[in-house]
Amino acid sequence: PRMRRPVLASAVIGLLFALMLLTKTTALFLAPAIGWAMIVPLWSERRQALRCAIAAAVAATAVFGGWLAFIAHAGLWQDFRYFFFINSYVKPTEWYWPLLSLWWSFKGGLWADRTLIPMAGAVVVLLALAARTSWSRRLWRDPVFGASALALAGYLFFMTLQNHPQPRYYTVVILFAFFILAIGAESLLASPGEPGLVPWRLAGAAILAGTVVAAGFNGAWTLIYVTHPEYSFVTAARQL
């Protein structure tokens, strides 16, 4: 909203999103987060918000569609088979497999961090319990917090849909989980103390204390890994 030409800026965002798709197709699942971050600040100007959304969508579609048309016309489709079909995994036959896949995707967050990821989940639960408070409603409408939550949900949905959560996907998940943890804890600590089932400020203080302790342990472990590397060919051969 602070841009002189927000529609033009939105078209540039659409161009960048198309480049994200050309880098990694799973960027498609970040589209809701990008849309949220763009539209929420302009929500009071509905027409402007609509124009910006259309500009971004048209730019992204035109660039990505033009690239598809180019490789098809140039006869390069076979060269990009890996790009398009690498994620075509065979799905289970049981009707309940999406539930197990969703649980697997959530549990996989422990690969990234055994403490901070669960605390980010605790922040989301606390904010859901405080959904009727004015400060919680304001937080959910915050562009950064809302976009982080949608990015997190988008990647978890992708891993659930694929039934194939890979450790590398959690590089994206943990980034936005930390945004949620930091912003959510700050909001809990700054809550006006409205009555409810949970003492929100006390919960925020507990989350902050846990974050500080976890960051200290993580820093110590990182230093240990740096000073005692275990990824050499000699170590790998001995372990085999």
Side-chain angles (χ1 to χ4, degrees):
R2 292 191 297 270
M3 292 285 184
R4 281 188 175 183
R5 299 178 180 178
V7 176
L8 179 60
S10 300
V12 173
I13 290 173
L15 170 63
L16 292 174
F17 181 69
L19 296 178
M20 286 171 61
L21 282 174
L22 292 174
T23 304
K24 191 166 181 62
T25 50
T26 51
L28 179 65
F29 292 86
L30 297 177
I34 296 172
W36 181 273
M38 286 178 57
I39 300 305
V40 167
L42 294 169
W43 195 243
S44 58
E45 306 173 43
R46 303 294 172 84
R47 290 185 179 180
Q48 184 75 302
L50 182 60
R51 285 196 293 266
C52 289
I54 292 174
V58 169
T61 303
V63 173
F64 194 76
W67 177 77
L68 287 177
F70 169 75
I71 64 170
H73 179 73
L76 300 174
W77 195 255
Q78 290 298 321
D79 297 285
F80 287 89
R81 280 185 59 83
Y82 185 86
F83 184 77
F84 290 109
F85 302 113
I86 180 59
N87 290 323
S88 298
Y89 300 112
V90 178
K91 301 297 188 296
T93 56
E94 292 81 6
W95 63 269
Y96 54 84
W97 74 263
L99 295 176
L100 297 179
S101 181
L102 178 62
W103 167 245
W104 191 19
S105 299
F106 270 108
K107 189 178 178 182
L110 299 179
W111 289 338
D113 194 287
R114 294 181 179 273
T115 309
L116 296 174
I117 288 284
M119 283 201 296
V123 166
V124 172
V125 171
L126 287 169
L127 293 173
L129 292 174
R132 294 186 178 181
T133 62
S134 58
W135 58 270
S136 179
R137 288 196 295 268
R138 280 197 306 272
L139 180 64
W140 284 109
R141 290 193 295 266
D142 179 82
V144 177
F145 186 85
S148 297
L150 286 173
L152 194 63
Y155 249 62
L156 287 173
F157 174 69
F158 162 71
M159 288 187 282
T160 300
L161 192 66
Q162 291 298 99
N163 191 38
H164 197 67
Q166 291 288 330
R168 64 181 180 272
Y169 295 144
Y170 290 95
T171 305
V172 177
V173 169
I174 197 168
L175 174 68
F176 291 106
F178 286 174
F179 284 165
I180 290 173
L181 177 60
I183 298 172
E186 191 274 339
S187 182
L188 287 166
L189 286 168
S191 63
E194 297 180 26
L197 296 175
V198 181
W200 308 117
R201 290 181 181 175
L202 183 60
I207 292 290
L208 177 60
T211 301
V212 171
V213 172
F217 277 107
N218 286 352
W221 288 334
T222 301
L223 288 176
I224 291 172
Y225 293 148
V226 169
T227 54
H228 300 83
E230 298 179 0
Y231 45 80
S232 68
F233 286 117
V234 174
T235 305
R238 286 173 179 167
Q239 290 177 347
L240 286 173

